PDB file of all heavy atoms in Angstrom:
ATOM      1  N   PRO A 158      89.393  18.157 -68.672  1.00 98.00           N
ATOM      2  CA  PRO A 158      88.243  17.313 -68.275  1.00 98.00           C
ATOM      3  C   PRO A 158      87.118  18.112 -67.632  1.00 98.00           C
ATOM      4  O   PRO A 158      85.939  17.823 -67.878  1.00 98.00           O
ATOM      5  CB  PRO A 158      88.861  16.329 -67.269  1.00 98.00           C
ATOM      6  CG  PRO A 158      90.301  16.291 -67.590  1.00 98.00           C
ATOM      7  CD  PRO A 158      90.660  17.640 -68.127  1.00 98.00           C
ATOM      8  N   VAL A 159      87.461  19.113 -66.836  1.00 98.00           N
ATOM      9  CA  VAL A 159      86.418  19.918 -66.178  1.00 98.00           C
ATOM     10  C   VAL A 159      85.542  20.589 -67.242  1.00 98.00           C
ATOM     11  O   VAL A 159      84.309  20.613 -67.135  1.00 98.00           O
ATOM     12  CB  VAL A 159      87.060  20.965 -65.220  1.00 98.00           C
ATOM     13  CG1 VAL A 159      86.075  22.073 -64.859  1.00 98.00           C
ATOM     14  CG2 VAL A 159      87.566  20.286 -63.945  1.00 98.00           C
ATOM     15  N   LEU A 160      86.161  21.086 -68.306  1.00 98.00           N
ATOM     16  CA  LEU A 160      85.377  21.742 -69.374  1.00 98.00           C
ATOM     17  C   LEU A 160      84.486  20.729 -70.090  1.00 98.00           C
ATOM     18  O   LEU A 160      83.335  21.021 -70.424  1.00 98.00           O
ATOM     19  CB  LEU A 160      86.312  22.435 -70.366  1.00 98.00           C
ATOM     20  CG  LEU A 160      86.977  23.713 -69.834  1.00 98.00           C
ATOM     21  CD1 LEU A 160      88.079  24.176 -70.770  1.00 98.00           C
ATOM     22  CD2 LEU A 160      85.938  24.827 -69.622  1.00 98.00           C
ATOM     23  N   THR A 161      85.012  19.522 -70.328  1.00 98.00           N
ATOM     24  CA  THR A 161      84.181  18.475 -70.943  1.00 98.00           C
ATOM     25  C   THR A 161      82.947  18.222 -70.074  1.00 98.00           C
ATOM     26  O   THR A 161      81.816  18.164 -70.568  1.00 98.00           O
ATOM     27  CB  THR A 161      84.984  17.155 -71.089  1.00 98.00           C
ATOM     28  OG1 THR A 161      86.166  17.412 -71.843  1.00 98.00           O
ATOM     29  CG2 THR A 161      84.168  16.065 -71.774  1.00 98.00           C
ATOM     30  N   LEU A 162      83.181  18.083 -68.772  1.00 98.00           N
ATOM     31  CA  LEU A 162      82.080  17.768 -67.855  1.00 98.00           C
ATOM     32  C   LEU A 162      81.068  18.912 -67.784  1.00 98.00           C
ATOM     33  O   LEU A 162      79.858  18.678 -67.729  1.00 98.00           O
ATOM     34  CB  LEU A 162      82.630  17.439 -66.464  1.00 98.00           C
ATOM     35  CG  LEU A 162      83.527  16.187 -66.403  1.00 98.00           C
ATOM     36  CD1 LEU A 162      84.210  16.079 -65.041  1.00 98.00           C
ATOM     37  CD2 LEU A 162      82.715  14.915 -66.699  1.00 98.00           C
ATOM     38  N   LEU A 163      81.561  20.143 -67.815  1.00 98.00           N
ATOM     39  CA  LEU A 163      80.637  21.287 -67.751  1.00 98.00           C
ATOM     40  C   LEU A 163      79.733  21.340 -68.979  1.00 98.00           C
ATOM     41  O   LEU A 163      78.517  21.514 -68.863  1.00 98.00           O
ATOM     42  CB  LEU A 163      81.420  22.600 -67.621  1.00 98.00           C
ATOM     43  CG  LEU A 163      81.942  22.926 -66.221  1.00 98.00           C
ATOM     44  CD1 LEU A 163      82.797  24.190 -66.255  1.00 98.00           C
ATOM     45  CD2 LEU A 163      80.784  23.102 -65.243  1.00 98.00           C
ATOM     46  N   TRP A 164      80.327  21.172 -70.167  1.00 98.00           N
ATOM     47  CA  TRP A 164      79.508  21.224 -71.388  1.00 98.00           C
ATOM     48  C   TRP A 164      78.554  20.031 -71.448  1.00 98.00           C
ATOM     49  O   TRP A 164      77.420  20.157 -71.908  1.00 98.00           O
ATOM     50  CB  TRP A 164      80.377  21.317 -72.650  1.00 98.00           C
ATOM     51  CG  TRP A 164      80.807  22.735 -72.882  1.00 98.00           C
ATOM     52  CD1 TRP A 164      82.002  23.300 -72.551  1.00 98.00           C
ATOM     53  CD2 TRP A 164      80.004  23.793 -73.446  1.00 98.00           C
ATOM     54  NE1 TRP A 164      82.003  24.634 -72.865  1.00 98.00           N
ATOM     55  CE2 TRP A 164      80.798  24.968 -73.423  1.00 98.00           C
ATOM     56  CE3 TRP A 164      78.709  23.880 -73.958  1.00 98.00           C
ATOM     57  CZ2 TRP A 164      80.325  26.195 -73.904  1.00 98.00           C
ATOM     58  CZ3 TRP A 164      78.247  25.105 -74.439  1.00 98.00           C
ATOM     59  CH2 TRP A 164      79.039  26.241 -74.411  1.00 98.00           C
ATOM     60  N   TYR A 165      79.020  18.891 -70.954  1.00 98.00           N
ATOM     61  CA  TYR A 165      78.159  17.706 -70.916  1.00 98.00           C
ATOM     62  C   TYR A 165      76.947  17.977 -70.019  1.00 98.00           C
ATOM     63  O   TYR A 165      75.804  17.734 -70.400  1.00 98.00           O
ATOM     64  CB  TYR A 165      78.958  16.510 -70.391  1.00 98.00           C
ATOM     65  CG  TYR A 165      78.150  15.245 -70.273  1.00 98.00           C
ATOM     66  CD1 TYR A 165      77.946  14.428 -71.385  1.00 98.00           C
ATOM     67  CD2 TYR A 165      77.590  14.859 -69.051  1.00 98.00           C
ATOM     68  CE1 TYR A 165      77.197  13.264 -71.282  1.00 98.00           C
ATOM     69  CE2 TYR A 165      76.847  13.701 -68.942  1.00 98.00           C
ATOM     70  CZ  TYR A 165      76.648  12.909 -70.068  1.00 98.00           C
ATOM     71  OH  TYR A 165      75.909  11.762 -69.967  1.00 98.00           O
ATOM     72  N   ASN A 166      77.210  18.489 -68.840  1.00 98.00           N
ATOM     73  CA  ASN A 166      76.108  18.759 -67.901  1.00 98.00           C
ATOM     74  C   ASN A 166      75.171  19.841 -68.419  1.00 98.00           C
ATOM     75  O   ASN A 166      73.963  19.767 -68.234  1.00 98.00           O
ATOM     76  CB  ASN A 166      76.661  19.160 -66.531  1.00 98.00           C
ATOM     77  CG  ASN A 166      77.146  17.950 -65.751  1.00 98.00           C
ATOM     78  OD1 ASN A 166      76.385  17.039 -65.439  1.00 98.00           O
ATOM     79  ND2 ASN A 166      78.427  17.908 -65.469  1.00 98.00           N
ATOM     80  N   LEU A 167      75.738  20.842 -69.083  1.00 98.00           N
ATOM     81  CA  LEU A 167      74.906  21.933 -69.601  1.00 98.00           C
ATOM     82  C   LEU A 167      73.954  21.429 -70.685  1.00 98.00           C
ATOM     83  O   LEU A 167      72.811  21.863 -70.764  1.00 98.00           O
ATOM     84  CB  LEU A 167      75.803  23.049 -70.172  1.00 98.00           C
ATOM     85  CG  LEU A 167      75.067  24.231 -70.808  1.00 98.00           C
ATOM     86  CD1 LEU A 167      74.455  25.122 -69.715  1.00 98.00           C
ATOM     87  CD2 LEU A 167      75.993  25.085 -71.676  1.00 98.00           C
ATOM     88  N   LEU A 168      74.440  20.481 -71.514  1.00 98.00           N
ATOM     89  CA  LEU A 168      73.692  20.119 -72.731  1.00 98.00           C
ATOM     90  C   LEU A 168      73.081  18.719 -72.711  1.00 98.00           C
ATOM     91  O   LEU A 168      72.495  18.293 -73.711  1.00 98.00           O
ATOM     92  CB  LEU A 168      74.622  20.248 -73.956  1.00 98.00           C
ATOM     93  CG  LEU A 168      75.211  21.647 -74.211  1.00 98.00           C
ATOM     94  CD1 LEU A 168      76.233  21.589 -75.336  1.00 98.00           C
ATOM     95  CD2 LEU A 168      74.105  22.649 -74.555  1.00 98.00           C
ATOM     96  N   GLU A 169      73.201  18.018 -71.596  1.00 98.00           N
ATOM     97  CA  GLU A 169      72.779  16.612 -71.534  1.00 98.00           C
ATOM     98  C   GLU A 169      71.346  16.400 -72.075  1.00 98.00           C
ATOM     99  O   GLU A 169      70.414  17.093 -71.696  1.00 98.00           O
ATOM    100  CB  GLU A 169      72.849  16.147 -70.072  1.00 98.00           C
ATOM    101  CG  GLU A 169      72.692  14.652 -69.927  1.00 98.00           C
ATOM    102  CD  GLU A 169      72.864  14.209 -68.474  1.00 98.00           C
ATOM    103  OE1 GLU A 169      73.123  15.071 -67.593  1.00 98.00           O
ATOM    104  OE2 GLU A 169      72.734  12.999 -68.225  1.00 98.00           O
ATOM    105  N   THR A 170      71.204  15.426 -72.991  1.00 98.00           N
ATOM    106  CA  THR A 170      69.889  15.101 -73.572  1.00 98.00           C
ATOM    107  C   THR A 170      69.649  13.588 -73.480  1.00 98.00           C
ATOM    108  O   THR A 170      70.550  12.828 -73.096  1.00 98.00           O
ATOM    109  CB  THR A 170      69.837  15.456 -75.085  1.00 98.00           C
ATOM    110  OG1 THR A 170      70.681  14.524 -75.786  1.00 98.00           O
ATOM    111  CG2 THR A 170      70.255  16.877 -75.369  1.00 98.00           C
ATOM    112  N   GLU A 171      68.467  13.186 -73.905  1.00 98.00           N
ATOM    113  CA  GLU A 171      68.121  11.755 -73.958  1.00 98.00           C
ATOM    114  C   GLU A 171      69.007  11.002 -74.952  1.00 98.00           C
ATOM    115  O   GLU A 171      69.172   9.795 -74.860  1.00 98.00           O
ATOM    116  CB  GLU A 171      66.671  11.584 -74.446  1.00 98.00           C
ATOM    117  CG  GLU A 171      65.640  12.279 -73.584  1.00 98.00           C
ATOM    118  CD  GLU A 171      65.123  11.357 -72.499  1.00 98.00           C
ATOM    119  OE1 GLU A 171      64.522  10.334 -72.856  1.00 98.00           O
ATOM    120  OE2 GLU A 171      65.354  11.668 -71.302  1.00 98.00           O
ATOM    121  N   GLN A 172      69.538  11.751 -75.932  1.00 98.00           N
ATOM    122  CA  GLN A 172      70.363  11.120 -76.978  1.00 98.00           C
ATOM    123  C   GLN A 172      71.840  11.015 -76.569  1.00 98.00           C
ATOM    124  O   GLN A 172      72.707  10.750 -77.410  1.00 98.00           O
ATOM    125  CB  GLN A 172      70.282  11.916 -78.298  1.00 98.00           C
ATOM    126  CG  GLN A 172      68.992  11.734 -79.076  1.00 98.00           C
ATOM    127  CD  GLN A 172      67.843  12.496 -78.446  1.00 98.00           C
ATOM    128  OE1 GLN A 172      67.982  13.659 -78.078  1.00 98.00           O
ATOM    129  NE2 GLN A 172      66.701  11.826 -78.297  1.00 98.00           N
TER     130      GLN A 172
END
Side-chain angles (χ1 to χ4, degrees):
V159 163
L160 287 169
T161 304
L162 297 170
L163 281 175
W164 278 99
Y165 178 83
N166 282 299
L167 177 75
L168 300 173
E169 191 176 359
T170 70
E171 301 269 297
Q172 284 75 46

